[in-house]
């Protein structure tokens, strides 16, 4: 997927924001649709496979958090939250319910475009430093293709879930702390709240189980973090 082919849905009830964001992204070659509320966004999302969603949190009717939850039931495309609410708690909540990044208002166009490019690269499987495959316990993690598969089939993962699994599988048999998982999957040193890792690990286990594999492959090591179990064939 190239940048020029990427379709982005921007959801915000402030015309000044949608005008600014829409213009900035169209200038970069992206195809942009605008929705002013959650209901319209869900309608558009049912008609188009978007590569990225940019959501305000304080929307009329369905707020951005609930909109993200509903979108997550049908898509693994990255979600970028835009909001004037910039406390650490707001960011953590946004990540816990399925968001991939959080940009506080006001923001500059270069920062916006940089975040969008990074999320689209991850969504497309263009991982920095990708080095082919890691195979552990019957699961093959392919960083070039951005897939996780086994004898039963593929595990459907969001970009964030894939990064978590990649961090665990590359350190299979070893304990990976929550702080290290935050750095590996989010790349954020400043996000000190580690509870969001637990929430995403639960989702990762659910995805593994839904695909027909043993969710116990991701083990909890109390007081330390998580470990990907090595199972000998």
């Amino acid at each position: 997927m190239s940048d020029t082919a990427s379709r982005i849905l921007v959801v915000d009830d402030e015309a000044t924001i949608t005008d600014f964001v829409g213009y900035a992204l169209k200038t970069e070659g992206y195809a942009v649709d605008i929705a002013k509320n959650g209901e319209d966004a869900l309608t558009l999302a049912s008609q188009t496979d978007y590569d990225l969603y940019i959501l305000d949190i304080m929307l009329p009717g369905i707020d951005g958090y609930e909109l993200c939850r509903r979108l997550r039931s049908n898509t693994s495309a990255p979600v970028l939250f835009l909001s004037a609410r910039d406390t650490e708690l707001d960011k953590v909540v946004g990540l816990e319910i399925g968001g991939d990044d959080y940009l506080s208002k006001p923001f500059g166009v270069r920062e916006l475009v940089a975040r969008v490019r990074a999320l689209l690269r991850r969504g497309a499987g263009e991982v920095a430093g990708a080095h082919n495959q890691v195979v552990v316990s019957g699961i093959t993690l392919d960083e070039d293709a951005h897939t996780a598969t086994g004898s039963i089939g593929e595990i459907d993962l969001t970009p964030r879930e894939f990064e978590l699994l990649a961090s665990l599988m590359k350190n299979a048999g070893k304990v990976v702390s929550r702080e290290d998982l935050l750095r590996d999957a989010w790349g954020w040193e400043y996000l000190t709240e580690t509870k969001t890792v637990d929430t995403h690990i639960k989702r990762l286990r659910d995805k593994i189980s839904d695909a027909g594999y043993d969710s116990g492959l991701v083990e909890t090591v109390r007081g330390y973090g998580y470990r990907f179990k090595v199972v000998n064939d």
Side-chain angles (χ1 to χ4, degrees), residues 111-132:
E111 182 176 13
L112 169 68
V113 171
R115 298 287 186 96
V116 166
R117 285 176 176 165
L119 288 172
L120 287 171
R121 282 198 298 270
R122 287 193 173 193
E126 300 172 26
V127 182
H131 55 278
N132 300 319

Side-chain angles (χ1 to χ4, degrees), residues 136-150:
V136 184
S137 303
I139 304 296
T140 299
L141 184 91
D142 189 323
E143 290 191 292
D144 292 334
H146 221 246
T147 58
T149 59

Side-chain angles (χ1 to χ4, degrees), residues 102-218:
Y102 194 109
L103 187 56
S104 301
K105 299 177 182 178
F107 52 85
V109 63
R110 280 187 285 186
E111 182 176 13
L112 169 68
V113 171
R115 298 287 186 96
V116 166
R117 285 176 176 165
L119 288 172
L120 287 171
R121 282 198 298 270
R122 287 193 173 193
E126 300 172 26
V127 182
H131 55 278
N132 300 319
Q133 298 179 341
V134 178
V135 182
V136 184
S137 303
I139 304 296
T140 299
L141 184 91
D142 189 323
E143 290 191 292
D144 292 334
H146 221 246
T147 58
T149 59
S151 59
I152 303 173
E154 184 173 346
I155 304 171
D156 181 24
L157 301 172
T158 66
R160 197 69 65 198
E161 291 160 355
F162 181 88
E163 298 296 338
L164 278 174
L165 183 59
S167 179
L168 290 167
M169 288 184 65
K170 288 177 185 177
N171 294 281
K174 301 177 182 178
V175 178
V176 184
S177 70
R178 290 172 175 83
E179 291 78 12
D180 285 341
L181 287 170
L182 276 174
R183 283 192 291 269
D184 290 345
W186 279 267
W188 293 346
E189 297 283 352
Y190 63 82
L191 187 61
T192 58
E193 174 58 66
T194 57
K195 182 182 176 183
T196 188
V197 172
D198 300 328
T199 302
H200 280 75
I201 286 289
K202 181 182 183 303
R203 288 201 181 99
L204 174 59
R205 283 173 171 155
D206 289 343
K207 293 288 187 69
I208 291 172
S209 177
D210 290 345
Y213 301 97
D214 180 12
S215 62
L217 288 172
V218 179

